[in-house]
């Protein structure tokens, strides 16, 4: 059976106004707005905890939280900063200095974003799309250093294979140079989970129910009627559904729709979003008592 996190709201005939699939930041923010607008909301979360891709852990002896999921605020996101301000959370701007590990030690990366944008401005954003790997093979004027930089950004920063990433998606052709504010990176000092904890506290308990360990397996709808069937065969009914799970879950659903009961089956996703892809990546967190590498400017 589903585990209800908040008190069960009184909902006639177990029919909700809106079902929200996913209790990450997007799902909780949507549920907060909807429940405070007077609508009854059921939030279905497959995992036994809130947060989605936010997974903050705290270790004894470590001065800062360890982020196993989302860690940085990329750019000055007004939505995130508004929530952080209301929740009393401190967001710290990180240093612009970047280091790369080389055979000769740690090497400072000067004008890093400018150098990468000089490459992306050469990428096409119209016409037939191709992978970044194909772009690098075709663009013979790029130096070995530029090719290494492009590969590092795609495979390291974006955590994606070169032969799958779209040239159109990364292209900045015709765009003005990005500003330092757009490139800025921030971190929630007390932990990213402070955002989702605050969003959870804002849910209207009499109108909103959060059901943990409740994986949605199938969504069926017709005009003004939605049925979400969960793993334990429990069904939730509503007038509307809002799906906030990552693209990777929907991708798996579209590619594995023939498998019964193993993933979320969402009709039409493969037809409406045929080019959507979400790569798999692993993350390792290492702690160092000190940094002994030598640095030299590029």
């Amino acid at each position: 059976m589903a585990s209800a996190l908040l008190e069960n709201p009184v909902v006639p005939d177990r029919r909700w106004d809106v079902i929200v699939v996913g209790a990450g930041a997007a799902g909780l923010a949507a549920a907060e707005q909807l429940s405070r607008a007077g609508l009854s909301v059921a939030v279905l979360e497959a995992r036994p905890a809130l947060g989605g891709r936010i997974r903050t852990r705290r270790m004894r002896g470590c001065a800062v939280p360890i982020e196993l999921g989302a860690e940085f605020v990329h750019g000055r996101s007004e939505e995130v900063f508004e929530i952080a301000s209301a929740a009393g959370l401190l967001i710290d701007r990180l240093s612009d200095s970047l280091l790369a590990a080389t055979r000769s030690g740690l090497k400072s990366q000067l004008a890093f974003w400018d150098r990468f944008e000089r490459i992306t401005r050469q990428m096409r954003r119209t016409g037939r799309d191709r992978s970044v790997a194909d772009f690098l093979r075709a663009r013979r004027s790029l130096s070995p250093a530029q090719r290494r930089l492009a590969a590092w950004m795609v495979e390291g920063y974006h955590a994606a294979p070169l032969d799958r990433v779209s040239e159109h998606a990364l292209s900045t052709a015709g765009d003005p140079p990005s500003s330092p504010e757009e490139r800025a990176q921030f971190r929630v000092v007390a932990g990213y989970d402070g955002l989702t904890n605050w969003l959870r506290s804002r849910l209207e308990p009499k109108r909103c129910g959060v059901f943990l360990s409740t994986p949605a397996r199938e969504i069926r709808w017709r005009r003004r009627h939605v049925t979400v069937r969960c793993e334990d065969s429990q069904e939730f009914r509503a007038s509307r559904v809002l799906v906030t799970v990552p693209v990777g879950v929907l991708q798996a659903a579209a590619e594995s729709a023939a498998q019964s009961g193993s993933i979320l089956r969402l009709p039409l996703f493969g037809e409406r979003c045929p080019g959507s892809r979400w790569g798999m990546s692993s993350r390792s967190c290492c702690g160092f008592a000190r940094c002994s590498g030598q640095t030299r400017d590029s």
Side-chain angles (χ1 to χ4, degrees), residues 207-249:
R207 297 193 183 94
C208 183
V210 180
F211 299 86
L212 302 179
S213 301
T214 309
R217 293 310 186 197
E218 188 174 25
I219 299 176
R220 295 193 177 278
W221 66 85
R222 60 178 186 270
R223 184 176 177 83
R224 297 181 181 177
H225 183 82
V226 177
T227 299
V228 179
R229 179 172 296 174
C230 300
E231 189 173 68
D232 58 1
S233 298
Q234 183 179 7
E235 292 186 347
F236 290 79
R237 297 177 176 82
S239 300
R240 300 286 189 272
V241 64
L242 180 60
V243 180
T244 67
V245 299
V247 174
V249 176

Side-chain angles (χ1 to χ4, degrees), residues 28-242:
L28 293 174
E32 186 261 339
Q33 293 287 323
L34 293 168
S35 64
R36 288 188 173 273
L39 301 177
S40 61
V41 183
V43 181
L44 309 183
E45 170 57 44
R47 296 178 178 177
L50 301 176
R53 285 171 286 174
I54 296 176
R55 298 191 66 187
T56 305
R57 296 293 182 268
R58 292 166 179 83
M59 297 177 59
R60 181 178 300 177
C62 187
V64 296
I66 304 299
E67 301 289 1
L68 299 181
E71 180 172 8
F72 303 110
V73 180
H74 301 287
R76 192 172 288 278
S77 170
E78 294 302 325
E79 295 84 356
V80 174
F81 275 77
E82 287 177 4
I83 294 174
S85 177
L89 298 171
L90 176 63
I91 295 184
D92 185 33
R93 183 166 182 161
L94 303 178
S95 170
D96 292 334
S97 63
L98 294 171
L99 300 175
T102 68
R103 293 180 179 178
S104 56
L106 297 177
K107 183 178 179 181
S108 297
Q109 300 293 297
L110 300 180
F112 175 82
W113 292 106
D114 291 331
R115 290 189 288 121
F116 181 61
E117 286 185 2
R118 282 197 287 271
I119 300 172
T120 58
R121 278 196 288 272
Q122 299 180 53
M123 295 180 179
R124 300 180 305 192
R125 68 191 323 166
T126 59
R128 185 175 181 179
D129 200 3
R130 58 182 174 178
S131 69
V132 172
D134 288 336
F135 161 78
L136 293 175
R137 281 191 289 267
R139 185 67 62 168
R140 297 184 178 181
S141 61
L142 294 177
S143 68
Q146 287 177 309
R147 295 176 188 276
R148 287 194 299 270
L149 175 60
W152 184 88
M153 278 294 294
V154 170
E155 297 176 337
Y157 186 80
H158 294 288
L162 284 170
D163 61 353
R164 295 296 300 276
V165 172
S166 160
E167 176 186 14
H168 288 181
L170 290 185
S171 172
T172 58
D175 294 343
S178 60
S179 68
E181 288 301 310
E182 292 175 308
R183 304 171 186 172
Q185 306 289 308
F186 302 86
R187 199 176 195 275
V188 183
V189 176
Y192 227 136
D193 61 350
L195 296 176
T196 50
N197 289 338
W198 186 83
L199 288 170
R200 168 194 169 186
S201 72
R202 295 277 297 168
L203 298 178
E204 179 57 55
K206 293 184 179 179
R207 297 193 183 94
C208 183
V210 180
F211 299 86
L212 302 179
S213 301
T214 309
R217 293 310 186 197
E218 188 174 25
I219 299 176
R220 295 193 177 278
W221 66 85
R222 60 178 186 270
R223 184 176 177 83
R224 297 181 181 177
H225 183 82
V226 177
T227 299
V228 179
R229 179 172 296 174
C230 300
E231 189 173 68
D232 58 1
S233 298
Q234 183 179 7
E235 292 186 347
F236 290 79
R237 297 177 176 82
S239 300
R240 300 286 189 272
V241 64
L242 180 60

Side-chain angles (χ1 to χ4, degrees), residues 243-288:
V243 180
T244 67
V245 299
V247 174
V249 176
L250 301 182
Q251 174 187 325
E255 295 177 351
S256 307
Q259 298 180 13
S260 175
S262 60
I263 41 79
L264 169 61
R265 292 191 292 174
L266 183 60
L268 301 182
F269 173 74
E271 299 173 14
R272 300 288 176 86
C273 308
S276 297
R277 291 294 182 271
W278 192 273
M280 301 296 292
S281 63
S282 299
R283 178 170 187 168
S284 298
C285 297
C286 303
F288 300 92

